[in-house]
Amino acid sequence: MRLTLRFTLLFLTLLAGILPGFAQETHGTATADSVAGVPALDRYHEVISVLWHVAWPKKDTEKLAALLPGVKSGMDSVAAATLPVRLKEKKALWDRGVVDLRSAVKEYAEAVSVNDSTRLLKAAEVLHARYEALVRIIRPR
């Protein structure tokens, strides 16, 4: 009986050591459709973060203008992204949000091209709001 108890304890100890690793391995194999997120939107945050938390508060219009290529390419990536299957009921909202984002990027680019600081600051504010609206579609508060 003592031998059986020792083997049981040994088995449970080994099992306890194996299971957490197994759970981590299987967790890492999630498909894009099983995750409620849009990687392109997450990557776009890198540009939006600098725009909103660094350049805009300082009214640094030179920095805002320098961010234009990233603003455009990030928007293109977001527009090309597809929603995961889990979010299919939000597709109409997403599509409208992408149209709004594209419009904001267009205004931002025009403000840069005419070198209008006031217009650029307002465009950056609108762009950030449109980005946040897309984030809220994916991850509501």
Side-chain angles (χ1 to χ4, degrees):
M1 181 141 180
R2 285 185 155 206
L3 191 57
T4 304
L5 181 61
R6 285 184 182 168
F7 280 117
T8 303
L9 288 174
L10 178 63
F11 175 75
L12 290 175
T13 302
L14 290 172
L15 190 60
I18 293 171
L19 284 179
F22 177 75
Q24 288 174 352
E25 287 177 27
T26 57
H27 177 70
T29 60
T31 65
D33 284 337
S34 69
V35 177
V38 178
L41 189 64
D42 294 337
R43 285 189 303 272
Y44 200 28
H45 183 260
E46 294 173 18
V47 174
I48 297 297
S49 178
V50 173
L51 178 148
W52 189 243
H53 298 289
V54 177
W56 191 84
K58 295 177 182 175
K59 310 299 185 230
D60 186 348
T61 55
E62 288 182 21
K63 180 74 170 173
L64 289 171
L67 290 170
L68 183 59
V71 166
K72 286 180 173 181
S73 66
M75 190 274 312
D76 290 340
S77 295
V78 169
T82 55
L83 284 180
V85 172
R86 290 180 59 189
L87 297 173
K88 67 182 176 187
E89 74 282 354
K90 297 183 178 189
K91 181 157 178 27
L93 278 174
W94 174 263
D95 290 345
R96 180 66 202 156
V98 169
V99 168
D100 291 345
L101 181 68
R102 189 179 301 279
S103 172
V105 170
K106 181 179 178 191
E107 173 59 22
Y108 187 97
E110 288 175 7
V112 169
S113 72
V114 297
N115 199 24
D116 185 335
S117 297
T118 304
R119 187 175 167 189
L120 179 56
L121 290 167
K122 179 63 180 167
E125 189 174 354
V126 171
L127 174 61
H128 176 259
R130 302 279 169 84
Y131 166 81
E132 284 293 324
L134 281 176
V135 170
R136 292 294 156 240
I137 292 168
I138 304 301
R139 293 183 290 275
R141 290 187 177 183

